[in-house]
Amino acid sequence: MREDMLTIGAFAKACRLSPKALRLYDELELLKPRRVDPETGYRYYAVEQLEQARLVAWLRRLGMPLARIRRVCALPDADAAREIRAYWAQVESETAARRDLAEFLIGHMSATPRKDTTMLELRYSAHSDRGRVRPANQDTAYAGTRLLAVADGCGPAGAPASSAAVDALRFLDAAELPAGNVLNLLEEAVQGATEAVRDATNGADESGTTLTALLWTGSRLALVHIGDSRAYLLRDGALFRITHDHTVVQSMIDEGRLTPEEATSHPQRMLLLKALSSTATATPDLRLQDTEPGDRYLLCSDGLYGVVPDARIRHLLTSAPAPDAAVHALIDAANGAGGPDNVSCVVADVVEGAA
């Protein structure tokens, strides 16, 4: 071995990256070894690679995703510095948003459960629009006294799939809700929706639907979610997303391999990890959501949030006086941004009912 070459162990110690991390960065072509022994597969690194390795280690300590680190390492120093500055400004902005969410969750989980002395009810509106580009509408939106739902169909039988999924839940609007196991009831209803989707699609390949629904109990909302339609809560002027996308790019964001900005143009951004379909069984997210008078909830398909930024969504939800006005303002905003997809919105306000 040449004197200016280091074994992977010696190189790891010098740059403070573990051998496991170095092997990963080799696979990702982020930090390739200078030489690999053809017989043993053992990696050797050049001394002059230490500076790049230390930069990678520092950027990982900042929390920078690997995809962005690769871009930084390929830039001249001045451009790399600007990229790091831009990344850190983004982190500070996101940290502020997460701080607001943390404060909301702390208050939400610390609050003394409200006694049901005040009667609450929902005021709601729903609408689905074809958009400006798609030849047909595969979305379904529904709002009733108890049930709010949005489904976004995909594949050749996407329209009947989304309609079947929502139709399978409509009985909840009139059903007598059990006191203690509303989530079990909702889970069973989604199983029925899955069967309905299979019947509606007749086993068509790559056909299915997302489903995001809220069921009103009189004081709380039970949430069921599968796919990449979304539910948001507007409370005290702040907007919180209360669902997590079941998509390939969201999993890559969670793993630190993509930034949210990179995800918007990723070639697999439309690929779902979970959906109601004729070919697979997937477990939905289920949970209870406490409510307060003045809360405003939004359910929407990706035709809205894919083209309308969260800040704009928050502004429209805040400024619209009633759910119907909010729904149409949001859909108009999506179509005003080109309307590349079907867009569906359900908006519901939690209000004090008449005594």
Side-chain angles (χ1 to χ4, degrees):
M1 185 182 69
R2 290 165 39 193
E3 292 185 359
D4 60 347
M5 300 289 284
L6 298 174
T7 66
I8 189 172
F11 190 78
K13 180 180 286 188
C15 66
R16 298 191 176 184
L17 286 169
S18 69
K20 180 179 179 180
L22 289 173
R23 286 190 286 270
L24 172 62
Y25 299 160
D26 179 13
E27 294 172 5
L28 296 175
E29 298 186 349
L30 178 60
L31 184 61
K32 302 287 291 181
R34 187 59 53 85
R35 175 177 174 269
V36 178
D37 190 292
E39 295 183 1
T40 66
Y42 209 69
R43 296 168 172 85
Y44 295 92
Y45 294 81
V47 172
E48 58 265 26
Q49 290 182 280
L50 282 171
E51 184 175 353
Q52 182 182 2
R54 288 170 180 145
L55 175 59
V56 171
W58 290 331
L59 293 175
R60 286 300 289 163
R61 288 179 63 187
L62 282 179
M64 184 177 288
L66 293 175
R68 194 159 185 169
I69 291 176
R70 185 186 296 112
R71 186 164 71 239
V72 169
C73 289
L75 294 173
D77 286 352
D79 292 337
R82 282 192 289 270
E83 182 70 15
I84 294 169
R85 184 179 296 112
Y87 168 74
W88 193 246
Q90 173 193 328
V91 169
E92 291 182 326
S93 174
E94 292 175 350
T95 300
R98 289 198 299 272
R99 182 194 61 228
D100 292 342
L101 177 56
E103 291 176 352
F104 160 72
L105 290 172
I106 291 167
H108 173 70
M109 301 180 75
S110 302
T112 302
R114 186 185 65 249
K115 295 181 179 179
D116 292 329
T117 55
T118 301
M119 295 296 294
L120 299 178
E121 61 185 38
L122 294 181
R123 292 179 184 167
Y124 48 82
S125 180
H127 189 65
S128 184
D129 190 89
R130 179 173 61 85
R132 297 290 183 261
V133 175
R134 296 292 176 90
N137 191 355
Q138 293 189 314
D139 285 3
T140 300
Y142 175 82
T145 306
R146 289 178 174 169
L147 179 69
L148 315 170
V150 164
D152 181 358
C154 56
S162 70
S163 179
V166 173
D167 285 346
L169 299 186
R170 289 194 186 207
F171 78 94
L172 295 170
D173 245 350
E176 188 69 28
L177 299 184
N181 60 348
V182 66
L183 290 182
N184 291 341
L185 175 66
L186 197 52
E187 185 174 22
E188 291 172 1
V190 172
Q191 292 173 0
T194 301
E195 295 174 3
V197 168
R198 289 173 178 165
D199 292 341
T201 59
N202 292 316
D205 290 341
E206 299 182 356
S207 290
T209 185
T210 69
L211 178 64
T212 301
L214 291 168
L215 181 62
W216 177 243
T217 70
S219 60
R220 294 192 293 181
L221 285 162
L223 169 71
V224 61
H225 168 69
I226 188 164
D228 66 347
S229 296
R230 290 182 177 178
Y232 293 86
L233 164 63
L234 181 73
R235 177 176 289 175
D236 297 329
L239 185 68
F240 307 100
R241 176 152 60 105
I242 59 175
T243 53
H244 195 72
D245 294 346
H246 299 142
T247 60
V248 168
V249 294
Q250 183 62 58
S251 68
M252 296 173 74
I253 292 171
D254 296 341
E255 295 166 2
R257 297 167 62 192
L258 279 181
T259 66
E261 293 78 14
E262 292 166 339
T264 60
S265 59
H266 195 277
Q268 293 182 310
R269 63 187 179 279
M270 306 298 291
L271 189 58
L272 294 173
L273 291 177
K274 289 184 180 183
L276 300 183
S277 72
S278 60
T279 57
T281 300
T283 302
D285 296 340
L286 290 158
R287 70 183 182 86
L288 288 172
Q289 174 78 29
D290 284 335
T291 61
E292 296 180 4
D295 285 350
R296 172 167 282 185
Y297 286 86
L298 164 68
L299 277 62
C300 65
S301 61
D302 62 348
L304 176 68
Y305 69 79
V307 293
V308 182
D310 281 1
R312 178 66 174 160
I313 291 174
R314 187 192 70 81
H315 171 73
L316 293 172
L317 286 173
T318 303
S319 56
D324 184 65
V327 163
H328 286 92
L330 291 164
I331 290 176
D332 288 347
N335 286 331
D341 199 356
N342 308 146
V343 56
S344 296
C345 297
V346 174
V347 173
D349 291 345
V350 179
V351 300
E352 294 186 7

